[in-house]
Amino acid sequence: MFREQRPGKITPAPAPHVPTVVELPHGKLNAYENAKKQVSKIAGILKLTENETKLLVTPRRIITINFPVKLDSGRIKLFQGYRVQHNDSRGPFKGGIRFHPQVDLDEVKALAFWMSMKCAVAGIPYGGGKGGVIVDPKQLSKDELEALSRGYIREIAPFIGPDKDVPAPDVYTDSQIMSWMLDEYETIVNHHAPGVITGKPLDLGGSKVRDYATAMGGAICLRELMKALKLKPGKVAIQGFGNAGSFMAKILHSWKHKIVAVSDSKGGIVNERGLDPAEVLQHKERTGSVVGFRGARKVSNEDVLALPVDVLVPAALENQITHTVAHTVNAKIVVELANGPTTPDADEILRRRGIHLIPDILANSGGVSTSYFEWAQNLQGYYWTEADVLGKLDPLMVSAFNDVFNASKQHRVDMRTGAFVVAAQKILKAERLRGRLKQ
Ligand code: NAD
């Protein structure tokens, strides 16, 4: 659960992420097709060759596994899983493992591609990867979940390692699952190797700040954009009051913004005079929802996205700002803490309406950047204080923000395209230096 450590400092709550499949008005677009479209846009801007374009979008290695898990009944069931290793030109592959009934290979390929892009934008020495198992974890007992986690790691153990590929939590996987996976890997290699996986509990080599790092990274990007646009802290609406959204509310509140609306899956609440996020969180912990918080009026989730505010923060699910919603957004800035909250056509509408958007691969990259800090601490065997981590996260995010902001100015494109341009340039440079592409 969330709790304050001291004013403005906040603690743990590993949370499941949500799948990233983009829907277009003419139907469901396969996530990997969407990734390919993003690459072809960049290819046009940077005048990339066919080889460069292909290299950016094609995974280096795809591992498909089918592995047995003994259920509590004694029956043995075969599960299918994947690990997609997209690009490792800048460092080991990096990306989460999701347990979800709808995991499919194209989605894992797209997510692995986006991880390569995100790590390059953040400027951390990682490539991108992603893993998944087709399973409904809610149907498994704790023992079965442990057996599944260990079974998955046994199959991919030859392909992962602190210098090869570093998994992490994602949808329906958490720090307990990372602990079992770490233990299985260390049993196989017969030595300690905490850097093989991130998102671990603090007691097994996790990092301070990781729990609120995603929100902190987004808040730092917002601070920098407001500085560039000469805007002062203003009114904020946040969709989603889970890990990312609630920490974002606390951080921005402590930075003198006025949080006028928040929402969760049960609906939204508004108070134009401002909400105290810590009190809203207490209410949510007591009642299961932000709805019903005293002094605030209830609104629908769509209403929250259309409120007249300075900053809108989607921090819930993918595909929330659709073509229709984009016309109603009444904010100066959108900060995408969620993965893929804006559909590609909505993106274009926001751009035409002059709304500034800090894209997910930049806005939520504070999370993977702090995973990088966790890995760096594991490799050194020396652990940092909360102030140490924050002191490194802030300049890292500022530098990533500046790279993206400057690229979007230079190429006269929106910040999402600017972010992909930055990432593609860094990855292609590393590929050229390695001799995998012509200089
Ligand atoms: P979470 O499960 O902790 O929180 C999700 C919140 O969204 C919950 O409050 C839920 O009630 C709410 N929600 C669900 N449907 C909603 C709806 N229709 N309208 C409004 N609210 C709704 O998840 P999280 O970890 O906070 O992740 C949120 C998003 O941020 C995801 O897209 C995730 O991929 C992304 N993200 C999170 C991290 C991280 O470190 N937590 C890192 C990178 C990206």
Side-chain angles (χ1 to χ4, degrees):
M1 297 318 262
F2 311 106
R3 68 195 152 79
E4 294 273 342
Q5 273 180 327
R6 50 181 195 270
K9 305 285 167 186
I10 312 138
T11 332
H17 297 180
V18 291
T20 311
V21 178
V22 174
E23 299 263 344
L24 287 180
H26 51 271
K28 195 170 183 179
L29 185 70
N30 167 305
Y32 189 53
E33 292 303 319
N34 187 24
K36 282 191 202 163
K37 282 190 176 178
Q38 289 169 334
V39 172
S40 53
K41 189 169 178 187
I42 305 311
I45 293 170
L46 293 176
K47 304 201 178 4
L48 301 183
T49 64
E50 203 183 319
N51 254 358
E52 288 169 333
T53 310
K54 199 167 163 191
L55 196 145
L56 276 182
V57 80
T58 318
R60 197 167 160 82
R61 189 184 284 140
I62 297 173
I63 302 150
T64 302
I65 57 175
N66 290 283
F67 60 104
V69 175
K70 194 168 182 184
L71 304 179
D72 292 346
S73 63
R75 197 165 67 87
I76 291 177
K77 189 172 172 188
L78 211 58
F79 286 89
Q80 186 162 70
Y82 308 101
R83 183 72 187 166
V84 173
Q85 299 181 325
H86 176 263
N87 189 285
D88 68 342
S89 57
R90 304 182 63 260
F93 303 103
K94 179 87 188 92
I97 299 166
R98 76 175 42 175
F99 287 174
H100 197 276
Q102 264 102 47
V103 161
D104 81 86
L105 184 54
D106 268 356
E107 186 187 66
V108 183
K109 280 160 71 179
L111 291 163
F113 159 77
W114 286 316
M115 282 307 297
S116 294
M117 296 291 129
K118 194 180 290 190
C119 292
V121 163
I124 54 179
Y126 282 143
K130 203 83 181 189
V133 178
I134 306 169
V135 58
D136 182 355
K138 290 181 188 158
Q139 303 295 321
L140 300 183
S141 69
K142 196 174 176 200
D143 285 349
E144 290 168 339
L145 197 58
E146 178 176 349
L148 181 89
S149 307
R150 291 183 183 275
Y152 177 79
I153 285 298
R154 273 199 300 280
E155 295 299 318
I156 65 162
F159 306 101
I160 63 170
D163 301 316
K164 285 193 214 173
D165 182 349
V166 184
D170 192 70
V171 177
Y172 294 141
T173 53
D174 58 15
S175 59
Q176 174 59 74
I177 290 175
M178 297 306 107
S179 305
W180 292 324
M181 290 182 167
L182 171 71
D183 185 66
E184 190 65 28
Y185 180 80
E186 290 183 340
T187 304
I188 293 167
V189 296
N190 204 25
H191 59 79
H192 280 281
V196 70
I197 208 155
T198 62
K200 301 179 293 293
L202 284 176
D203 293 311
L204 288 184
S207 179
K208 299 255 169 68
V209 180
R210 178 61 191 90
D211 50 332
Y212 65 94
T214 302
M216 182 55 85
I220 294 168
C221 290
L222 175 65
R223 183 192 71 198
E224 295 305 301
L225 180 63
M226 294 188 93
K227 222 190 279 174
L229 301 175
K230 299 191 179 11
L231 295 173
K232 294 229 167 341
K235 289 186 185 173
V236 179
I238 300 178
Q239 185 203 36
F241 205 64
N243 178 295
S246 66
F247 281 125
M248 187 67 162
K250 286 182 178 183
I251 294 164
L252 294 184
H253 178 71
S254 72
W255 289 4
K256 309 281 181 248
H257 289 266
K258 195 188 277 185
I259 313 300
V260 294
V262 298
S263 65
D264 60 27
S265 55
K266 305 222 172 81
I269 54 167
V270 178
N271 184 341
E272 273 85 8
R273 290 196 309 276
L275 298 160
D276 179 335
E279 286 179 13
V280 177
L281 195 54
Q282 276 171 13
H283 174 84
K284 187 179 162 93
E285 282 171 358
R286 226 176 26 245
T287 65
S289 172
V290 297
V291 175
F293 182 68
R294 65 178 160 69
R297 70 190 151 88
K298 184 175 185 240
V299 292
S300 71
N301 269 316
E302 290 83 63
D303 291 342
V304 169
L305 298 174
L307 287 171
V309 288
D310 297 282
V311 182
L312 174 65
V313 184
L317 305 173
E318 75 280 18
N319 300 329
Q320 294 301 296
I321 305 180
T322 57
H323 178 269
T324 322
V325 173
H327 288 291
T328 68
V329 169
N330 201 353
K332 296 190 182 93
I333 298 173
V334 175
V335 185
E336 290 187 331
L337 274 195
N339 278 314
T342 312
T343 61
D345 50 345
D347 221 18
E348 182 54 26
I349 294 163
L350 295 181
R351 191 189 62 74
R352 272 194 263 125
R353 293 187 57 217
I355 296 169
H356 298 270
L357 183 144
I358 308 180
D360 48 5
I361 62 168
L362 171 65
N364 68 34
S365 67
V368 70
S369 299
T370 307
S371 292
Y372 157 57
F373 296 146
E374 176 178 338
W375 175 78
Q377 291 169 75
N378 297 149
L379 297 190
Q380 299 173 76
Y382 177 68
Y383 288 85
W384 308 345
T385 63
E386 186 172 11
D388 289 335
V389 180
L390 287 172
K392 293 181 197 315
L393 182 62
D394 200 308
L396 184 148
M397 292 306 307
V398 171
S399 159
F401 173 84
N402 285 337
D403 286 352
V404 170
F405 190 70
N406 294 337
S408 66
K409 287 257 165 301
Q410 185 194 341
H411 296 281
R412 295 169 192 230
V413 292
D414 56 281
M415 277 204 271
R416 190 185 313 282
T417 311
F420 279 115
V421 165
V422 168
Q425 283 174 322
K426 287 187 186 176
I427 292 170
L428 293 174
K429 184 171 182 190
E431 293 285 355
R432 275 188 212 101
L433 287 166
R434 286 174 179 277
R436 294 181 191 169
L437 279 176
K438 238 175 81 196
Q439 289 280 356

